[in-house]
Coordinates of all heavy atoms in Angstrom, one line a residue:
M1 N 48.3 178.9 10.0 CA 49.0 178.1 11.0 C 48.9 176.6 10.6 O 47.9 176.2 10.0 CB 48.3 178.3 12.4 CG 48.9 177.4 13.4 SD 48.1 177.4 15.1 CE 47.0 178.7 15.1
I2 N 49.9 175.8 10.9 CA 50.0 174.4 10.7 C 50.0 173.7 12.0 O 50.8 174.1 13.0 CB 51.2 174.0 9.9 CG1 51.3 174.8 8.6 CG2 51.3 172.5 9.7 CD1 50.2 174.4 7.6
I3 N 49.1 172.7 12.2 CA 49.1 171.9 13.4 C 49.5 170.5 13.0 O 49.0 170.0 12.0 CB 47.7 171.9 14.0 CG1 47.3 173.3 14.5 CG2 47.6 170.8 15.1 CD1 45.9 173.4 15.1
V4 N 50.3 169.8 13.7 CA 50.6 168.4 13.6 C 50.1 167.8 14.9 O 50.5 168.2 16.0 CB 52.2 168.2 13.5 CG1 52.5 166.7 13.4 CG2 52.7 168.9 12.2
A5 N 49.3 166.8 14.8 CA 48.7 166.1 16.0 C 48.6 164.6 15.8 O 48.3 164.2 14.6 CB 47.4 166.7 16.3
G6 N 48.8 163.9 16.8 CA 48.6 162.5 16.7 C 49.3 161.7 17.8 O 49.6 162.3 18.9
T7 N 49.6 160.5 17.5 CA 50.2 159.6 18.5 C 51.4 158.8 17.9 O 51.5 158.6 16.7 CB 49.2 158.6 19.0 OG1 48.7 157.8 18.0 CG2 48.0 159.3 19.8
Q8 N 52.2 158.4 18.9 CA 53.3 157.4 18.6 C 53.3 156.4 19.7 O 53.2 156.8 20.9 CB 54.6 158.1 18.4 CG 55.7 157.2 17.9 CD 56.9 158.0 17.3 OE1 57.1 159.2 17.7 NE2 57.5 157.5 16.3
R9 N 53.4 155.1 19.4 CA 53.3 154.1 20.4 C 54.7 153.4 20.4 O 55.1 152.9 19.4 CB 52.2 153.1 20.1 CG 51.9 152.1 21.2 CD 50.7 151.2 20.9 NE 49.5 152.0 20.8 CZ 48.7 152.3 21.8 NH1 49.0 152.0 23.0 NH2 47.6 153.0 21.5
L10 N 55.2 153.2 21.6 CA 56.4 152.5 21.9 C 56.2 151.5 23.0 O 55.3 151.7 23.8 CB 57.6 153.5 22.3 CG 57.8 154.7 21.4 CD1 58.7 155.7 22.1 CD2 58.4 154.2 20.0
H11 N 57.2 150.6 23.2 CA 57.2 149.9 24.5 C 57.4 150.9 25.6 O 58.3 151.7 25.4 CB 58.2 148.8 24.5 CG 57.9 147.7 23.4 ND1 56.9 146.8 23.6 CD2 58.5 147.4 22.3 CE1 56.9 146.0 22.6 NE2 57.9 146.3 21.7
A12 N 56.8 150.7 26.7 CA 57.0 151.6 27.9 C 58.5 151.7 28.2 O 58.9 152.8 28.6 CB 56.1 151.2 29.0
A13 N 59.2 150.6 28.2 CA 60.6 150.6 28.6 C 61.4 151.4 27.7 O 62.4 152.2 28.0 CB 61.2 149.2 28.7
D14 N 61.1 151.3 26.3 CA 61.8 152.1 25.3 C 61.5 153.6 25.5 O 62.4 154.5 25.3 CB 61.4 151.7 23.9 CG 62.0 150.3 23.6 OD1 63.0 149.9 24.2 OD2 61.4 149.6 22.7
L15 N 60.3 154.0 25.8 CA 59.9 155.4 26.0 C 60.8 155.9 27.2 O 61.3 157.0 27.0 CB 58.4 155.5 26.4 CG 58.0 156.9 26.6 CD1 58.3 157.9 25.5 CD2 56.5 156.9 26.9
E16 N 60.9 155.2 28.2 CA 61.8 155.6 29.3 C 63.2 155.8 28.9 O 63.9 156.8 29.2 CB 61.7 154.6 30.5 CG 62.3 155.1 31.8 CD 61.7 156.5 32.2 OE1 60.5 156.7 32.1 OE2 62.6 157.3 32.7
R17 N 63.7 154.9 28.1 CA 65.1 154.9 27.5 C 65.3 156.2 26.7 O 66.4 156.7 26.6 CB 65.3 153.7 26.7 CG 66.7 153.1 26.8 CD 66.8 151.8 26.1 NE 67.4 152.1 24.8 CZ 67.3 151.3 23.7 NH1 66.6 150.2 23.7 NH2 67.9 151.7 22.6
L18 N 64.2 156.6 26.0 CA 64.3 157.8 25.0 C 64.0 159.1 25.7 O 64.2 160.2 25.1 CB 63.4 157.6 23.9 CG 63.7 156.5 22.9 CD1 62.6 156.3 21.9 CD2 65.0 156.8 22.2
R19 N 63.6 159.1 26.9 CA 63.1 160.3 27.6 C 64.1 161.5 27.5 O 63.8 162.6 27.2 CB 62.8 160.1 29.0 CG 62.0 161.2 29.7 CD 61.5 160.8 31.1 NE 60.6 159.6 31.0 CZ 59.3 159.6 30.7 NH1 58.7 160.8 30.5 NH2 58.6 158.5 30.7
G20 N 65.4 161.2 27.7 CA 66.4 162.3 27.7 C 66.5 162.9 26.3 O 66.6 164.1 26.1
K21 N 66.6 162.0 25.3 CA 66.7 162.4 23.9 C 65.4 163.2 23.5 O 65.5 164.2 22.7 CB 67.0 161.3 23.0 CG 68.4 160.7 23.2 CD 68.6 159.5 22.4 CE 70.0 159.0 22.7 NZ 70.4 157.8 22.0
A22 N 64.3 162.7 23.9 CA 63.0 163.4 23.7 C 63.0 164.8 24.2 O 62.7 165.8 23.6 CB 61.8 162.6 24.2
N23 N 63.5 165.0 25.5 CA 63.6 166.3 26.1 C 64.5 167.2 25.3 O 64.2 168.4 25.2 CB 64.0 166.1 27.5 CG 62.9 165.6 28.4 OD1 61.7 165.8 28.2 ND2 63.2 165.0 29.5
A24 N 65.6 166.7 24.9 CA 66.6 167.5 24.1 C 66.0 167.9 22.8 O 66.1 169.1 22.3 CB 67.9 166.7 23.9
T25 N 65.2 167.0 22.1 CA 64.6 167.3 20.9 C 63.5 168.4 21.1 O 63.4 169.4 20.3 CB 63.9 166.1 20.2 OG1 65.0 165.1 20.1 CG2 63.2 166.4 19.0
I26 N 62.7 168.3 22.2 CA 61.7 169.3 22.4 C 62.3 170.7 22.7 O 61.9 171.6 22.1 CB 60.8 168.8 23.6 CG1 60.0 167.6 23.2 CG2 59.9 170.0 24.1 CD1 59.4 166.8 24.4
A27 N 63.3 170.7 23.4 CA 64.0 172.0 23.8 C 64.5 172.6 22.5 O 64.3 173.8 22.3 CB 65.1 171.8 24.8
A28 N 65.2 171.9 21.7 CA 65.8 172.4 20.4 C 64.7 172.9 19.5 O 64.8 173.9 18.8 CB 66.7 171.4 19.8
T29 N 63.6 172.1 19.4 CA 62.6 172.5 18.5 C 61.8 173.7 19.0 O 61.5 174.6 18.1 CB 61.5 171.3 18.4 OG1 62.2 170.2 17.8 CG2 60.4 171.6 17.5
R30 N 61.6 173.9 20.2 CA 60.9 175.0 20.7 C 61.7 176.3 20.5 O 61.1 177.4 20.4 CB 60.7 174.9 22.2 CG 59.5 173.9 22.5 CD 59.3 173.7 24.0 NE 58.2 172.8 24.2 CZ 57.8 172.4 25.5 NH1 58.5 172.8 26.5 NH2 56.8 171.6 25.6
A31 N 63.0 176.2 20.2 CA 63.8 177.4 19.9 C 63.8 177.7 18.4 O 64.4 178.7 18.0 CB 65.3 177.1 20.4
E32 N 63.2 176.9 17.6 CA 63.2 177.1 16.1 C 62.3 178.2 15.7 O 61.3 178.4 16.3 CB 62.7 175.8 15.4 CG 63.7 174.7 15.4 CD 63.1 173.5 14.6 OE1 62.7 173.7 13.4 OE2 63.0 172.4 15.2
P33 N 62.7 179.0 14.7 CA 61.8 180.0 14.2 C 60.5 179.3 13.7 O 60.5 178.3 13.0 CB 62.6 180.6 13.0 CG 64.0 180.2 13.2 CD 64.0 178.9 14.0
G34 N 59.4 180.0 14.0 CA 58.1 179.5 13.5 C 57.5 178.5 14.4 O 56.3 178.1 14.2
C35 N 58.2 178.0 15.4 CA 57.6 177.0 16.3 C 56.8 177.7 17.4 O 57.3 178.6 18.1 CB 58.6 176.1 17.0 SG 57.9 174.9 18.2
L36 N 55.4 177.4 17.4 CA 54.6 178.1 18.4 C 54.3 177.1 19.6 O 54.3 177.6 20.8 CB 53.2 178.4 17.8 CG 53.3 179.3 16.5 CD1 52.0 179.4 15.8 CD2 53.9 180.7 16.9
V37 N 54.2 175.9 19.3 CA 53.9 174.8 20.4 C 54.6 173.6 19.9 O 54.5 173.1 18.7 CB 52.4 174.6 20.6 CG1 52.2 173.5 21.6 CG2 51.7 175.9 21.0
Y38 N 55.3 172.9 20.8 CA 55.9 171.6 20.4 C 55.8 170.7 21.7 O 56.5 171.1 22.7 CB 57.3 171.7 19.9 CG 57.8 170.4 19.3 CD1 57.5 170.1 18.0 CD2 58.7 169.6 20.0 CE1 58.0 169.0 17.4 CE2 59.2 168.4 19.4 CZ 58.8 168.2 18.1 OH 59.3 167.0 17.5
S39 N 55.0 169.7 21.7 CA 54.8 168.9 22.9 C 54.6 167.5 22.7 O 54.0 167.0 21.8 CB 53.5 169.5 23.6 OG 53.2 168.8 24.8
F40 N 55.3 166.7 23.6 CA 55.1 165.2 23.6 C 54.5 165.0 25.0 O 55.0 165.5 26.0 CB 56.4 164.4 23.6 CG 57.1 164.5 22.3 CD1 58.4 163.9 22.2 CD2 56.7 165.2 21.2 CE1 59.1 163.9 21.1 CE2 57.4 165.2 20.0 CZ 58.7 164.6 20.0
A41 N 53.4 164.2 25.1 CA 52.8 163.9 26.4 C 52.5 162.4 26.5 O 51.8 161.9 25.6 CB 51.5 164.7 26.6
E42 N 53.0 161.8 27.6 CA 52.8 160.4 27.8 C 51.3 160.2 28.3 O 50.9 160.9 29.2 CB 53.8 159.8 28.8 CG 53.7 158.4 29.0 CD 54.8 157.8 29.9 OE1 55.6 158.6 30.4 OE2 54.8 156.6 30.1
D43 N 50.6 159.3 27.6 CA 49.2 159.1 28.0 C 49.2 158.4 29.4 O 50.0 157.5 29.6 CB 48.6 158.1 27.0 CG 47.1 158.0 27.2 OD1 46.6 157.3 28.2 OD2 46.3 158.6 26.4
L44 N 48.4 158.9 30.3 CA 48.4 158.4 31.7 C 47.8 157.0 31.8 O 48.0 156.2 32.7 CB 47.7 159.3 32.6 CG 48.3 160.7 32.8 CD1 47.5 161.6 33.6 CD2 49.7 160.6 33.3
T45 N 46.9 156.6 30.8 CA 46.2 155.3 31.0 C 46.8 154.3 30.0 O 46.4 153.1 30.1 CB 44.7 155.5 30.7 OG1 44.6 156.0 29.3 CG2 44.1 156.5 31.6
E46 N 47.6 154.6 29.1 CA 48.2 153.7 28.1 C 49.7 153.8 28.1 O 50.2 154.7 27.4 CB 47.6 153.9 26.7 CG 46.2 153.6 26.6 CD 45.7 153.7 25.2 OE1 46.3 153.1 24.3 OE2 44.7 154.4 25.0
P47 N 50.4 153.0 28.9 CA 51.9 153.1 29.0 C 52.5 152.9 27.6 O 52.1 152.1 26.8 CB 52.3 152.0 29.9 CG 51.1 151.7 30.7 CD 49.9 152.0 29.8
G48 N 53.4 153.8 27.2 CA 54.1 153.8 25.9 C 53.4 154.6 24.8 O 54.0 154.7 23.8
L49 N 52.3 155.1 25.1 CA 51.5 155.9 24.1 C 51.9 157.4 24.4 O 51.8 157.9 25.4 CB 50.0 155.8 24.2 CG 49.2 156.6 23.2 CD1 49.5 156.1 21.8 CD2 47.7 156.5 23.5
V50 N 52.5 158.0 23.3 CA 52.8 159.4 23.4 C 51.9 160.2 22.5 O 51.7 159.9 21.3 CB 54.3 159.6 22.9 CG1 54.7 161.0 22.9 CG2 55.3 158.8 23.7
R51 N 51.3 161.2 23.0 CA 50.5 162.2 22.2 C 51.4 163.3 21.9 O 52.1 163.9 22.7 CB 49.3 162.6 23.1 CG 48.4 161.4 23.5 CD 47.1 161.7 23.9 NE 46.3 160.5 24.2 CZ 45.7 159.7 23.3 NH1 45.7 160.1 22.0 NH2 45.0 158.7 23.7
I52 N 51.3 163.6 20.5 CA 52.2 164.7 20.0 C 51.3 165.8 19.5 O 50.3 165.6 18.9 CB 53.0 164.1 18.8 CG1 53.9 163.0 19.3 CG2 53.8 165.2 18.1 CD1 54.5 162.1 18.3
Y53 N 51.7 167.0 19.8 CA 51.0 168.2 19.4 C 52.0 169.3 19.0 O 52.9 169.6 19.9 CB 50.0 168.7 20.5 CG 49.2 169.9 20.0 CD1 48.1 169.6 19.2 CD2 49.5 171.1 20.3 CE1 47.3 170.7 18.7 CE2 48.8 172.2 19.9 CZ 47.7 172.0 19.1 OH 47.0 173.1 18.6
E54 N 51.9 169.8 17.9 CA 52.8 170.9 17.4 C 51.9 172.0 16.7 O 50.9 171.7 16.1 CB 53.7 170.4 16.3 CG 54.5 169.2 16.7 CD 55.3 168.6 15.6 OE1 55.7 169.3 14.7 OE2 55.6 167.3 15.7
E55 N 52.4 173.2 16.8 CA 51.8 174.3 16.1 C 53.0 175.1 15.5 O 54.0 175.4 16.1 CB 51.0 175.3 17.0 CG 49.7 174.8 17.5 CD 48.9 175.7 18.3 OE1 49.3 176.9 18.4 OE2 47.9 175.3 18.9
W56 N 52.8 175.4 14.1 CA 53.9 176.1 13.4 C 53.2 177.3 12.7 O 52.1 177.2 12.2 CB 54.5 175.1 12.3 CG 55.2 174.0 13.0 CD1 54.7 172.8 13.3 CD2 56.5 174.0 13.4 NE1 55.6 172.0 14.0 CE2 56.8 172.7 14.0 CE3 57.6 174.9 13.4 CZ2 58.0 172.4 14.6 CZ3 58.8 174.6 13.9 CH2 59.0 173.3 14.5
E57 N 54.0 178.3 12.5 CA 53.5 179.5 11.8 C 53.2 179.2 10.3 O 52.3 179.7 9.8 CB 54.5 180.7 11.9 CG 54.5 181.3 13.3 CD 55.5 182.4 13.4 OE1 56.1 182.9 12.4 OE2 55.7 182.9 14.5
S58 N 54.1 178.3 9.7 CA 53.9 178.0 8.3 C 54.3 176.6 8.0 O 55.1 176.0 8.7 CB 54.7 179.0 7.5 OG 56.1 178.8 7.6
R59 N 53.9 176.1 6.8 CA 54.4 174.8 6.3 C 55.9 174.9 6.1 O 56.6 173.9 6.3 CB 53.7 174.4 5.1 CG 54.0 173.0 4.7 CD 53.1 172.5 3.6 NE 51.8 172.2 4.0 CZ 51.4 171.0 4.3 NH1 52.2 169.9 4.3 NH2 50.1 170.7 4.6
D60 N 56.4 176.0 5.6 CA 57.9 176.1 5.4 C 58.6 175.9 6.7 O 59.7 175.3 6.7 CB 58.2 177.5 4.8 CG 57.8 177.7 3.3 OD1 57.6 176.6 2.7 OD2 57.7 178.8 2.9
D61 N 58.1 176.5 7.8 CA 58.8 176.3 9.1 C 58.8 174.8 9.5 O 59.8 174.3 10.0 CB 58.0 177.1 10.2 CG 58.2 178.6 10.0 OD1 59.3 179.0 9.6 OD2 57.2 179.3 10.3
L62 N 57.6 174.1 9.2 CA 57.6 172.7 9.5 C 58.5 171.9 8.6 O 59.2 171.0 9.1 CB 56.1 172.2 9.3 CG 55.9 170.7 9.5 CD1 56.3 170.2 10.9 CD2 54.4 170.4 9.2
V63 N 58.6 172.2 7.4 CA 59.6 171.5 6.5 C 61.0 171.7 7.0 O 61.8 170.8 7.0 CB 59.4 172.0 5.0 CG1 60.5 171.6 4.1 CG2 58.1 171.6 4.5
R64 N 61.4 173.0 7.3 CA 62.7 173.3 7.8 C 63.0 172.5 9.1 O 64.1 171.9 9.3 CB 62.8 174.8 8.1 CG 64.2 175.3 8.1 CD 64.2 176.9 8.1 NE 63.1 177.6 8.5 CZ 62.3 178.2 7.7 NH1 62.4 178.1 6.4 NH2 61.2 178.8 8.2
H65 N 62.0 172.4 10.0 CA 62.1 171.6 11.2 C 62.5 170.1 10.9 O 63.3 169.5 11.5 CB 60.8 171.7 12.0 CG 60.6 170.6 13.0 ND1 61.3 170.5 14.1 CD2 59.7 169.6 13.0 CE1 60.9 169.5 14.9 NE2 59.9 168.9 14.2
G66 N 61.8 169.6 9.9 CA 62.0 168.2 9.5 C 63.4 167.9 9.0 O 63.9 166.8 9.0
K67 N 64.1 168.9 8.6 CA 65.5 168.8 8.0 C 66.5 169.2 9.1 O 67.7 169.2 8.8 CB 65.7 169.7 6.8 CG 64.7 169.3 5.6 CD 64.9 170.3 4.5 CE 64.0 169.9 3.3 NZ 64.0 170.8 2.2
S68 N 66.1 169.5 10.3 CA 67.1 170.0 11.3 C 67.9 168.8 11.8 O 67.5 167.7 11.8 CB 66.3 170.6 12.5 OG 65.5 169.7 13.1
D69 N 69.1 169.2 12.4 CA 70.0 168.2 13.0 C 69.4 167.5 14.2 O 69.6 166.3 14.3 CB 71.3 168.9 13.4 CG 72.1 169.3 12.2 OD1 71.9 168.8 11.1 OD2 73.0 170.1 12.4
H70 N 68.6 168.2 15.0 CA 68.0 167.5 16.2 C 66.9 166.6 15.8 O 66.8 165.6 16.5 CB 67.6 168.6 17.2 CG 66.7 169.6 16.7 ND1 67.1 170.8 16.2 CD2 65.4 169.7 16.7 CE1 66.1 171.5 15.8 NE2 65.0 170.9 16.2
I71 N 66.2 166.8 14.7 CA 65.2 165.8 14.3 C 65.9 164.6 13.6 O 65.5 163.5 13.8 CB 64.2 166.5 13.3 CG1 63.3 167.4 14.1 CG2 63.4 165.4 12.6 CD1 62.6 166.8 15.3
A72 N 67.0 164.8 12.9 CA 67.8 163.7 12.4 C 68.3 162.8 13.6 O 68.2 161.6 13.5 CB 69.0 164.2 11.6
A73 N 68.8 163.5 14.7 CA 69.2 162.7 15.9 C 68.0 162.0 16.6 O 68.2 160.9 17.0 CB 69.9 163.7 16.8
W74 N 66.9 162.6 16.6 CA 65.7 162.0 17.1 C 65.3 160.8 16.3 O 65.0 159.7 16.9 CB 64.5 163.0 17.3 CG 63.2 162.4 17.7 CD1 62.1 162.4 17.0 CD2 63.0 161.8 19.0 NE1 61.1 161.7 17.8 CE2 61.7 161.4 19.0 CE3 63.8 161.5 20.1 CZ2 61.1 160.7 20.1 CZ3 63.2 160.9 21.2 CH2 61.9 160.5 21.2
R75 N 65.3 160.9 15.0 CA 65.0 159.7 14.1 C 66.0 158.6 14.4 O 65.6 157.5 14.3 CB 64.9 160.2 12.7 CG 63.7 161.1 12.4 CD 63.6 161.5 10.9 NE 62.5 162.3 10.7 CZ 62.5 163.4 10.0 NH1 63.6 163.8 9.4 NH2 61.4 164.1 9.8
A76 N 67.2 159.0 14.5 CA 68.3 157.9 14.7 C 68.0 157.2 16.1 O 68.1 156.0 16.2 CB 69.7 158.5 14.7
A77 N 67.6 158.0 17.1 CA 67.3 157.4 18.4 C 66.0 156.5 18.3 O 66.1 155.4 18.8 CB 67.0 158.5 19.5
L78 N 65.0 156.9 17.5 CA 63.9 156.1 17.3 C 64.2 154.8 16.6 O 63.5 153.8 16.8 CB 62.8 156.9 16.6 CG 61.9 157.8 17.4 CD1 61.0 158.6 16.5 CD2 61.2 157.1 18.5
S79 N 65.2 154.8 15.7 CA 65.5 153.6 14.9 C 66.1 152.5 15.8 O 66.2 151.4 15.4 CB 66.5 154.0 13.8 OG 67.8 154.3 14.3
E80 N 66.5 152.9 17.0 CA 67.1 151.9 18.0 C 66.1 151.2 18.8 O 66.4 150.3 19.6 CB 68.1 152.6 18.9 CG 69.3 153.3 18.1 CD 70.2 154.1 19.0 OE1 70.0 154.1 20.2 OE2 71.1 154.7 18.4
V81 N 64.8 151.6 18.7 CA 63.7 150.9 19.4 C 62.7 150.5 18.4 O 62.7 150.9 17.2 CB 63.2 151.9 20.5 CG1 64.2 152.3 21.5 CG2 62.5 153.1 19.9
E82 N 61.7 149.7 18.9 CA 60.6 149.3 18.1 C 59.4 150.3 18.2 O 58.9 150.4 19.3 CB 60.1 147.9 18.5 CG 59.0 147.4 17.6 CD 58.5 146.0 18.0 OE1 59.0 145.5 19.1 OE2 57.7 145.5 17.3
V83 N 59.2 151.0 17.1 CA 58.0 151.8 17.1 C 56.8 151.0 16.7 O 56.7 150.4 15.6 CB 58.2 153.0 16.1 CG1 56.9 153.8 16.0 CG2 59.4 153.9 16.4
L84 N 55.8 150.9 17.7 CA 54.7 150.0 17.5 C 53.6 150.6 16.7 O 52.8 149.9 16.1 CB 54.2 149.6 18.9 CG 55.2 148.9 19.8 CD1 54.6 148.8 21.2 CD2 55.6 147.6 19.2
G85 N 53.6 151.9 16.6 CA 52.5 152.6 15.8 C 52.8 154.1 15.7 O 53.4 154.6 16.6
R86 N 52.4 154.7 14.7 CA 52.5 156.1 14.5 C 51.3 156.6 13.7 O 51.0 156.1 12.6 CB 53.8 156.4 13.8 CG 54.1 157.9 13.6 CD 55.5 158.0 13.0 NE 55.9 159.3 12.8 CZ 55.9 160.0 11.7 NH1 55.6 159.4 10.6 NH2 56.2 161.3 11.6
D87 N 50.6 157.6 14.2 CA 49.5 158.2 13.5 C 49.6 159.7 13.7 O 49.1 160.2 14.7 CB 48.2 157.6 14.1 CG 47.0 158.2 13.4 OD1 47.1 158.7 12.3 OD2 45.9 158.1 14.0
L88 N 50.2 160.4 12.8 CA 50.3 161.9 12.8 C 49.6 162.5 11.6 O 49.6 161.9 10.5 CB 51.7 162.3 12.8 CG 52.5 162.0 14.1 CD1 54.0 162.3 13.9 CD2 52.1 162.8 15.3
K89 N 49.0 163.6 11.8 CA 48.2 164.3 10.8 C 48.7 165.8 10.8 O 49.0 166.4 11.8 CB 46.8 164.2 11.0 CG 46.2 162.8 10.9 CD 44.7 162.8 11.1 CE 44.1 161.5 10.9 NZ 44.8 160.3 11.4
I90 N 48.8 166.3 9.6 CA 49.0 167.7 9.4 C 47.7 168.4 9.1 O 46.9 168.0 8.2 CB 50.0 168.0 8.2 CG1 51.4 167.4 8.5 CG2 50.1 169.5 7.9 CD1 52.3 167.5 7.3
I91 N 47.4 169.5 9.9 CA 46.1 170.2 9.8 C 46.5 171.6 9.5 O 47.2 172.3 10.2 CB 45.3 170.1 11.1 CG1 45.1 168.6 11.5 CG2 44.1 170.8 11.0 CD1 44.8 168.4 12.9
E92 N 45.9 172.2 8.4 CA 46.1 173.6 8.0 C 44.9 174.3 8.6 O 43.7 174.0 8.3 CB 46.2 173.7 6.5 CG 47.4 173.1 5.9 CD 47.7 173.4 4.5 OE1 47.5 174.6 4.1 OE2 48.0 172.5 3.8
V93 N 45.2 175.4 9.3 CA 44.2 176.2 10.0 C 44.1 177.5 9.4 O 45.0 178.3 9.2 CB 44.5 176.4 11.5 CG1 43.4 177.2 12.2 CG2 44.6 175.0 12.2
A94 N 42.9 177.9 8.9 CA 42.7 179.2 8.3 C 42.4 180.3 9.3 O 42.8 181.4 9.2 CB 41.5 179.1 7.4
K95 N 41.8 179.9 10.5 CA 41.4 180.9 11.5 C 41.4 180.2 12.8 O 41.0 179.0 12.9 CB 40.1 181.5 11.1 CG 39.6 182.5 12.1 CD 38.2 183.0 11.8 CE 37.7 183.9 12.9 NZ 36.3 184.2 12.7
S96 N 41.8 180.9 13.8 CA 41.6 180.4 15.2 C 41.2 181.5 16.1 O 41.5 182.7 15.8 CB 42.8 179.7 15.7 OG 43.9 180.6 16.0
E97 N 40.5 181.2 17.2 CA 40.1 182.3 18.1 C 39.9 181.6 19.5 O 39.8 180.4 19.6 CB 38.7 182.9 17.7 CG 37.6 181.9 17.6 CD 36.4 182.6 17.0 OE1 36.4 183.0 15.8 OE2 35.4 182.6 17.8
P98 N 40.1 182.4 20.5 CA 40.0 181.9 21.9 C 38.6 181.3 22.2 O 37.6 181.8 21.6 CB 40.2 183.1 22.8 CG 40.9 184.1 21.9 CD 40.4 183.8 20.5
L99 N 38.5 180.3 22.9 CA 37.3 179.7 23.3 C 36.7 180.5 24.5 O 37.4 180.7 25.5 CB 37.5 178.2 23.7 CG 36.2 177.5 24.2 CD1 35.2 177.4 23.0 CD2 36.6 176.1 24.7
A100 N 35.6 181.0 24.4 CA 35.0 181.9 25.4 C 34.4 181.0 26.5 O 33.9 180.0 26.3 CB 34.0 182.8 24.8

């Protein structure tokens, strides 16, 4: 399993402007083969901070996702605003189990 986790920081007004495009990106991504979880969450205490969390069955699925039309559209939308910061990491998981 591949996890992508981290943050992206925008001006709060820009985040509001992108909300519809973000929702469309999330919906399209969740329908992709290999996508287990795809989530953007606005931090409640820091306006404009988005916490990103993704789970993919494989790195190939993640690579295919990065080449998708909806991600190209999302990147185009992001290019229209000022991205103040981005900190995402790819984590390869060998094993996972439920927390008891």
